[in-house]
């Protein structure tokens, strides 16, 4: 059919611009008159000249023109309209392509009075009464008319003026003034026409028989040869009269419409017909669509089931909610005879749109376990909706580019024209969130926001899609525990669910820094997490004590890194020798550690004592207490035999006012009475270590940071930085190049000056040979550098803290 198609519909013609051809193009429409002049079409001109432009659900553009439109050419029962279309991909219509379409249609027999109620205008045309002229009468010269009535045109037959009958007064407008006010006027050999936009100033809204009408009462004066004639050009169109009940549209139009029926003595129906999209429907066709047309005594009623054939649903968004409206373009033609006009034809074109009805969008998930694919269907949608992009992890991605992120998107079309969108994404795609649920189950979550566009309005709406699939494929972390006589070890083999689980000892998060504080070893190479803790550690639990063995246990919990929910518990238990608690040094010093067993929560380790209660412990923790003393003190007793000397003491716990110990740990140290040891001594000296000098280019940076965390440094735009005396200054020196892990950065000297020149005086040394300046009131503090995402080589950085100071001489402040 090409880019345009034509349909003739009685005294109207319709040109349809193809959606496929003009899609995604900017258009400008022109109407070409008989002389070849193109007139650009806008809303005001369309209503004044008898044109209507509408958009269909398929995206096509429909252009309607009346037979007596401004630029139509009438000849021998045929009217011709020429439409020019400029189409371009650019908003300014640059490089536009021009299309020309001339359309001709036969118009039928005119009734004495014809009224049209279009979407954007009302039109009345009446047969022009021509008086009988005296034979051989010689008309005055044309200029005589202009002398008598300058406003009257000199043509043989023309409209002179219009008189509007308003409620308070009558108002006359000359043709030129009426045209400027937006009215359309035309005459032919046999007819006088008045076209009225609904927005015209003289249009009144009047309610009659419960229906609101737009009406205009007017008389049109026209000149024929030497006679001034007047015709009634009143017009009225129903504005409402539509009701929506029980999923049915009911359209009611009164037969007797003021002022069209004013002064009538007789009234007789001749014809009532109706149709859709300007096409008349027979009674059989209406019945097949379940339309009902009732011609009653005073009204004509048309009933249409919502959703019936002939109409269409359109997508809308209201207050962020997606919904639909059903639209149908009805028309009603009513012809009647009366004593005043003989025959009147009243054609009403009515676009009826139902109220907004919220629509729910179904999101279904079909999991393909064998292919490990999530297949999510979203919809259905009407044909006027298109998916334009989706937002994944905060990034908007156009539909064609989604495949780069692992998303395959395609449409599924149904027989009724609706469609759904299907999204296929692998379970292992980076944007799919994986979360451990229970036992062997993992939850795979697709979280995306789909953005849709409604055509032709280009309005957008979004639909969040959150789909969770439970898959039995989790591999939980496993553990191996052992001891080596001095330490307890746990080696955890990672599964596929614990990437974001964190190690906890009870409620204490075991970080790298925390492990170093207690001399624990914590390593994670991505596949295994290894933890080692010494036997005598604050987080080891002592669960049994015998003369030959101590049972010690270490418990570790893995918790969810986000919710801190407890996921897995691991432990290792080992038997240690009691000798681990005592050291008998050759110089007679004894170091004894007493432990608190599980279940002894009431025991306060701080009040444990030796036999001599004046001997205080050297170290007290929640679970242990350590005493360090000489064998000749603290109430230690001794025994001799021929070969050994044995020293004995006890760690005791007494309740206040009770001399019977509740806790008693007896220990012994034995020394040989005679013992000789041969020690070989070699006086050879090892050569001191040496460093070979080298040459190369080094790139260094010195930065000032805002906080002790060294997370954010001052930018160049923030200098000079304002600090007060004794404020902390956090400096970082970094070796930028080369990136060689074998290199270590060491600071030798660092000093401050009173100007930007490093050699200026006075100077104050912050570091001297890599150490703090002992003469400083507030000494430089070094901060440890650990591996992080920013710090790949901790040995390439040095961080230190200096307190803000100023240079003074005597009591005066030195300035540059």
């Amino acid at each position: 059919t090409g880019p345009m198609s034509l349909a003739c519909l009685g005294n109207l013609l319709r040109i349809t611009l193809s959606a496929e051809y003009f899609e995604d193009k900017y258009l400008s429409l022109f109407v070409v008159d008989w002389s070849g002049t193109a007139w650009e079409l806008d809303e005001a001109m369309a209503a004044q000249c008898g044109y209507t432009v509408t958009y269909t659900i398929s995206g096509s553009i429909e252009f309607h023109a009346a037979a007596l439109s401004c630029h139509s050419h009438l000849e021998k029962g045929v009217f011709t309209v020429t439409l020019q279309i400029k189409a371009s991909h650019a908003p300014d219509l640059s490089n536009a392509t021009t299309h020309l379409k001339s359309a001709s249609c036969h118009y039928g027999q005119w009734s004495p009075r014809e009224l049209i109620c279009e979407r954007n205008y009302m039109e009345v045309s009446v047969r022009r009464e021509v008086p009988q002229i005296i034979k051989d009468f010689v008309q005055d010269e044309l200029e005589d008319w202009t002398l008598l009535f300058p406003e009257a045109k000199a043509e043989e037959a023309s409209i002179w003026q219009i008189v509007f009958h308003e409620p308070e007064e009558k108002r006359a407008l000359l043709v030129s003034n009426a045209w400027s006010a937006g009215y359309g006027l035309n005459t032919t050999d046999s007819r006088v026409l008045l076209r009225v936009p609904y927005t015209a100033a003289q249009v009144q809204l009047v309610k009659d028989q419960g229906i609101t009408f737009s009406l205009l009462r007017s008389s049109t004066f026209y000149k024929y040869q030497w006679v001034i004639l007047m015709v009634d050009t009143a017009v009225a169109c129903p504005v409402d009269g539509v009701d929506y009940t029980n999923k049915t549209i009911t359209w009611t139009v009164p037969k007797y419409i003021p002022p069209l029926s004013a002064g009538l003595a007789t009234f007789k129906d001749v014809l009532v017909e109706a149709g859709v999209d300007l096409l008349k429907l027979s009674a059989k066709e209406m019945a097949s669509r379940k339309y009902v047309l009732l011609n009653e005594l005073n009204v004509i009623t048309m009933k249409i089931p919502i959703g019936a054939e002939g109409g269409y649903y359109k997508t809308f968004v209201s207050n962020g909610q997606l919904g639909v409206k059903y639209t149908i373009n009805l028309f009603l033609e009513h012809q009647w005879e009366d004593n005043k006009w003989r025959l009147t034809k009243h054609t009403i074109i009515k676009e009826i749109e139902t109220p907004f009805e919220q629509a729910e969008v179904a999101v279904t998930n079909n999991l393909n376990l064998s292919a490990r694919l999530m297949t999510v269907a979203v919809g259905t949608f009407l044909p006027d909706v298109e998916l334009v992009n989706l937002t994944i992890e905060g990034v908007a991605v156009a539909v064609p580019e989604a495949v780069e992120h692992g998303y395959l998107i395609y449409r599924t079309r149904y027989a009724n024209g609706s469609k759904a969108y299907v999204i296929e994404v692998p379970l292992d795609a980076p944007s799919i969130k994986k979360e451990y649920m229970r036992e062997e189950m993992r939850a795979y979550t697709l979280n995306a926001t789909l953005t849709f566009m409604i055509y032709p309005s280009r309005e957008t709406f979004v639909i969040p899609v959150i789909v969770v699939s439970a898959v039995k494929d989790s591999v939980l972390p496993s553990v191996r525990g052992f001891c080596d006589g001095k330490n307890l070890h746990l080696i955890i083999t990672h599964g596929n669910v614990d990437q974001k689980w964190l190690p906890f000892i009870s409620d204490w998060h075991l970080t790298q820094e925390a492990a170093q504080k207690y001399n624990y070893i914590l390593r994670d190479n991505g596949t295994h997490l290894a933890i080692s803790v010494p036997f005598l550690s604050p987080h080891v639990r002592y669960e049994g004590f015998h003369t030959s063995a101590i049972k010690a246990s270490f418990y570790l919990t893995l918790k969810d890194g986000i919710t801190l929910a407890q996921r897995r518990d691991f432990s290792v238990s080992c038997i240690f020798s009691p000798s681990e608690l005592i050291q008998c040094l050759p110089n007679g010093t004894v170091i004894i550690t007493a432990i608190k067993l599980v279940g002894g929560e009431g025991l306060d380790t701080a009040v444990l004592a030796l036999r001599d209660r004046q001997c205080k412990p050297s170290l007290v923790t929640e679970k242990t207490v350590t005493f360090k003393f000489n064998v000749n003190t603290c109430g230690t007793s001794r025994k001799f035999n021929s070969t050994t000397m044995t020293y004995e003491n006890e760690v005791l716990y007494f309740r206040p006012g009770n001399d019977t110990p509740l806790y008693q740990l007896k220990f012994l140290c034995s020394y040989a009475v005679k013992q000789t040891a041969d020690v070989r001594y070699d006086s050879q000296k090892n050569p001191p270590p040496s460093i070979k000098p080298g040459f190369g280019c080094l790139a260094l940076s010195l930065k000032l940071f805002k906080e002790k965390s060294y997370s954010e440094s001052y930018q160049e735009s923030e200098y000079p930085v304002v600090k007060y005396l004794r404020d902390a200054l956090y400096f970082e020196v970094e070796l930028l190049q080369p990136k060689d892990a074998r290199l270590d950065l060491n600071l030798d000297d660092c000093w401050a000056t009173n100007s930007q020149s490093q050699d200026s005086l006075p100077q104050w040394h912050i570091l001297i040979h890599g150490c703090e300046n002992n003469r400083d009131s507030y000494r430089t503090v070094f901060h440890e550098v650990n591996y992080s995402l920013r710090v790949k080589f901790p040995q390439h950085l040095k961080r230190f803290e200096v307190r803000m100071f100023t240079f003074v001489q005597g009591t005066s402040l030195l300035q540059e």
Side-chain angles (χ1 to χ4, degrees):
T1 59
M4 289 176 281
S5 59
L6 168 68
C8 295
L9 310 160
N11 291 341
L12 291 167
L13 66 78
R14 180 179 67 202
I15 298 176
T16 303
L17 279 59
S18 165
E20 291 77 10
Y21 189 85
F22 291 103
E23 187 177 16
D24 296 330
K25 292 180 181 177
Y26 294 90
L27 302 181
S28 184
L29 303 182
F30 299 80
V31 183
V32 182
D33 63 18
W34 200 243
S35 69
T37 303
W39 301 84
E40 187 169 7
L41 188 62
D42 57 23
E43 290 185 8
M45 175 186 168
Q48 187 175 38
C49 285
Y51 306 121
T52 304
V53 179
T54 58
Y55 293 87
T56 69
I57 183 64
S58 64
S60 301
I61 299 175
E62 288 189 356
F63 168 79
H64 296 177
L68 297 179
S69 58
C70 293
H71 309 96
S72 61
H73 178 69
L74 281 72
E75 187 175 6
K76 297 180 181 179
V78 174
F79 70 98
T80 302
V81 176
T82 301
L83 183 65
Q84 182 187 86
I85 304 101
K86 290 185 177 180
S88 172
H89 290 286
D92 61 355
L93 294 178
S94 57
N95 301 317
T97 303
T98 300
H99 304 267
L100 204 63
K101 178 72 174 181
S102 288
S104 298
C105 291
H106 290 272
Y107 56 88
Q109 182 71 31
W110 292 99
S111 299
R113 179 172 65 164
E114 294 203 3
L115 304 117
I116 297 178
C117 299
E118 252 285 12
R119 301 182 191 186
N120 55 334
Y121 65 85
M122 302 183 288
E123 179 181 295
V124 54
S125 72
V126 298
R127 181 178 296 164
R128 193 174 66 178
E129 298 296 341
V130 180
Q132 185 175 359
I133 305 301
I134 299 174
K135 189 175 181 181
D136 300 326
F137 176 79
V138 178
Q139 184 185 356
D140 295 336
E141 295 296 326
L142 293 179
E143 54 268 19
D144 292 343
W145 262 111
T146 58
L147 289 174
L148 183 60
F149 298 112
E151 301 86 356
K153 292 184 179 179
E155 286 86 352
E156 180 180 337
S158 62
I159 296 175
W160 173 31
Q161 69 175 8
I162 304 172
V163 174
F164 298 103
H165 304 269
E166 299 184 55
E168 302 299 331
E169 61 178 353
K170 292 182 174 63
R171 184 184 179 194
L173 286 180
L174 298 176
V175 172
S176 58
N177 295 333
W179 190 265
S180 298
Y183 294 95
L185 304 112
N186 198 0
T187 59
T188 67
D189 292 342
S190 61
R191 304 194 74 76
V192 173
L193 175 139
L194 173 64
R195 191 175 295 112
V196 185
Y198 286 105
T199 56
Q202 283 71 37
V203 171
Q204 304 166 43
L205 288 177
V206 176
K207 196 157 192 174
D208 189 81
Q209 304 171 66
I211 308 296
T212 303
F213 291 88
S214 279
L215 64 86
L216 180 79
R217 294 183 176 92
S218 66
S219 300
T220 300
F221 291 83
Y222 66 96
K223 172 180 74 70
Y224 183 79
Q225 294 186 0
W226 49 268
V227 179
I228 295 290
L229 300 173
M230 182 193 78
V231 291
D232 180 2
T233 48
V235 62
C237 292
V239 174
D240 48 27
V242 181
D243 187 33
Y244 312 95
T245 54
N246 299 323
K247 294 290 183 180
T248 301
I249 299 169
T250 302
W251 180 28
T252 302
V253 179
K255 289 184 177 180
Y256 307 101
I257 303 175
L260 305 184
S261 57
L264 299 185
T266 61
F267 184 96
K268 178 185 176 182
D269 277 331
V270 174
L271 180 70
V272 174
E273 291 184 315
V276 176
D277 293 329
L278 300 183
L279 296 176
K280 293 181 181 179
L281 297 177
S282 65
K284 183 178 180 181
E285 289 171 324
M286 286 194 184
S288 69
R289 300 184 183 195
K290 298 183 179 179
Y291 294 3
V292 176
L293 180 62
L294 300 174
N295 186 6
E296 298 173 309
L297 180 62
N298 295 316
V299 297
I300 301 169
T301 303
M302 195 170 185
K303 295 185 177 183
I304 308 291
I306 295 177
E309 179 187 353
Y312 59 87
Y313 281 101
K314 182 83 178 68
T315 307
F316 287 87
V317 176
S318 176
N319 297 323
Q321 295 293 322
L322 182 67
V324 296
K325 296 180 182 181
Y326 174 75
T327 301
I328 188 166
N329 297 312
L330 299 176
F331 82 90
L332 178 69
E333 183 179 302
H334 180 205
Q335 296 185 32
W336 70 86
E337 291 179 347
D338 58 54
N339 60 306
K340 182 178 178 181
W341 291 97
R342 296 193 299 279
L343 182 64
T344 296
K345 182 167 75 171
H346 194 188
T347 303
I348 305 172
I349 300 169
K350 183 75 171 177
E351 181 185 60
I352 296 177
E353 186 178 84
T354 62
F356 178 86
E357 181 180 350
Q358 187 173 335
E360 297 296 332
V361 178
V363 178
T364 57
N365 177 26
N366 297 303
L367 180 64
N368 186 339
L369 272 178
S370 60
R372 289 187 64 79
L373 274 179
M374 291 179 76
T375 304
V376 180
V378 184
T380 58
F381 299 101
L382 295 176
D384 59 350
V385 170
E386 289 288 339
L387 176 63
V388 291
N389 67 46
L390 64 163
T391 301
I392 310 166
E393 297 182 316
V395 178
V397 179
V399 172
E401 300 168 3
V403 68
E404 300 173 10
H405 296 260
Y407 289 71
L408 177 63
I409 301 174
Y410 57 89
R411 282 180 299 198
T412 299
R413 295 190 181 275
Y414 301 101
N416 64 357
S418 62
K419 58 189 172 185
Y421 286 90
V422 179
I423 303 171
E424 288 186 353
V425 57
L427 291 177
D428 301 315
S431 59
I432 298 296
K433 180 184 176 183
K434 306 165 189 66
E435 189 175 14
Y436 173 65
M437 295 174 61
R438 62 187 180 278
E439 300 302 325
E440 299 176 354
M441 303 299 292
R442 275 201 296 178
Y444 290 81
T445 303
L446 165 65
N447 189 343
T449 300
L450 309 186
T451 301
F452 295 85
M453 183 172 287
I454 303 170
Y455 290 93
S457 65
R458 295 183 175 269
E459 187 176 9
T460 59
F461 64 92
V462 298
I463 295 178
V465 175
I466 302 176
V467 177
V468 181
S469 296
V471 181
K472 191 176 182 179
D473 67 348
S474 65
V475 178
L476 295 174
S478 58
V479 69
R480 180 171 68 91
F482 62 93
C483 300
D484 58 8
K486 296 288 184 181
N487 302 282
L488 296 90
H489 305 275
L490 282 176
I491 298 178
I492 299 170
T493 302
H494 288 304
N496 60 8
V497 298
D498 57 323
Q499 289 80 8
K500 294 183 179 180
W501 293 2
L502 302 175
F504 276 78
I505 301 173
S506 186
D507 292 328
W508 183 62
H509 181 200
L510 183 58
T511 62
Q512 197 65 250
E513 293 78 7
Q516 291 177 2
K517 178 181 177 181
Y518 292 99
N519 292 320
Y520 299 171
I521 297 174
L522 179 66
R523 299 191 187 94
D524 193 332
N525 63 3
T527 61
H528 294 81
L529 173 67
I531 302 165
S532 300
V533 297
F535 163 64
L536 291 176
S537 298
H539 300 99
V540 173
R541 301 176 65 179
Y542 306 101
E543 299 173 343
F545 197 154
H546 302 280
T547 56
S548 60
I550 301 172
K551 182 182 179 183
S553 299
F554 174 64
Y555 293 87
L556 186 78
T557 300
L558 294 183
K559 295 186 178 183
D560 189 288
I562 299 174
T563 65
L564 296 183
Q566 190 168 320
R567 294 304 189 190
R568 297 283 283 173
D569 292 317
F570 299 118
S571 65
V572 57
S573 298
C574 295
I575 302 299
F576 288 86
S577 170
S579 62
E580 295 295 326
L581 302 179
I582 186 169
Q583 298 181 58
C584 301
L585 302 181
N587 63 356
T589 300
V590 178
I591 302 174
I592 178 70
T593 300
I595 58 176
K596 181 167 69 173
L597 296 178
V598 173
E601 284 73 14
L603 179 65
D604 184 1
T605 56
V607 297
L608 289 171
L610 298 175
R611 287 173 179 170
D612 183 352
R613 299 187 189 181
Q614 300 301 313
C615 290
K616 302 299 182 183
S618 59
L619 177 65
V620 177
T621 69
E622 183 184 353
K623 296 180 181 179
T624 65
V625 58
T626 301
F627 294 90
K628 184 178 181 181
F629 60 97
N630 189 273
V631 292
N632 296 317
T633 61
C634 298
T636 306
S637 63
R638 55 185 174 178
K639 295 179 182 179
F640 295 92
N641 61 31
S642 59
T643 59
T644 61
M645 181 180 293
T646 302
Y647 295 88
E648 181 181 299
N649 208 326
E650 296 171 294
V651 180
L652 305 168
Y653 174 68
F654 298 91
R655 278 187 178 169
N658 192 335
D659 291 335
T660 303
L662 294 178
Y663 178 95
Q664 186 175 18
L665 174 64
K666 185 179 290 187
F667 59 91
L668 306 171
C669 276
S670 297
Y671 293 90
V673 174
K674 292 181 180 180
Q675 183 174 2
T676 302
D678 295 328
V679 179
R680 181 178 179 179
Y681 174 71
D682 191 349
S683 63
Q684 180 180 355
K685 294 183 178 179
N686 290 325
S690 62
I691 299 176
K692 293 182 180 181
F695 298 92
C697 294
L698 301 179
L700 298 165
S701 72
L702 173 63
K703 295 179 181 178
L704 177 62
F705 281 75
K706 297 181 178 181
E707 295 178 346
K708 190 176 180 179
S709 62
Y710 286 88
S711 59
E712 182 181 4
S713 64
Y714 285 101
Q715 302 301 311
E716 186 174 348
S717 61
E718 297 180 84
Y719 285 94
V721 176
V722 176
K723 291 287 184 180
Y724 298 96
L725 287 177
R726 299 191 184 93
D727 280 358
L729 302 173
Y730 301 102
F731 290 100
E732 178 186 271
V733 182
E734 182 179 3
L735 173 63
L736 300 176
Q737 293 293 339
K739 298 289 186 183
D740 190 339
R742 296 173 298 173
L743 296 179
D744 281 2
L745 174 65
N746 292 290
L747 302 181
D748 189 24
D749 289 332
C750 179
W751 65 94
T753 66
N754 199 34
S755 71
Q756 294 187 7
S757 172
Q758 64 181 14
D759 299 322
S760 66
L761 295 175
Q763 297 181 356
W764 185 258
H765 282 267
I766 297 168
L767 299 177
I768 301 175
H769 302 308
C771 300
E772 64 268 27
N773 187 348
N774 292 331
R775 296 165 58 197
D776 260 340
S777 300
Y778 299 92
R779 295 190 179 180
T780 302
V781 178
F782 288 94
H783 294 298
E784 186 177 2
V785 182
N786 294 311
Y787 176 85
S788 67
L789 291 176
R790 186 174 77 85
V791 180
K792 305 299 182 185
F793 302 104
Q795 66 270 31
H796 288 185
L797 285 87
K798 286 292 183 288
R799 291 170 176 169
F800 56 90
E801 175 186 339
V802 178
R803 294 291 173 170
M804 184 65 188
F805 64 90
T806 186
F807 289 96
V808 295
Q809 185 172 13
T811 59
S812 300
L813 178 68
L814 285 181
Q815 297 184 353
E816 184 179 355

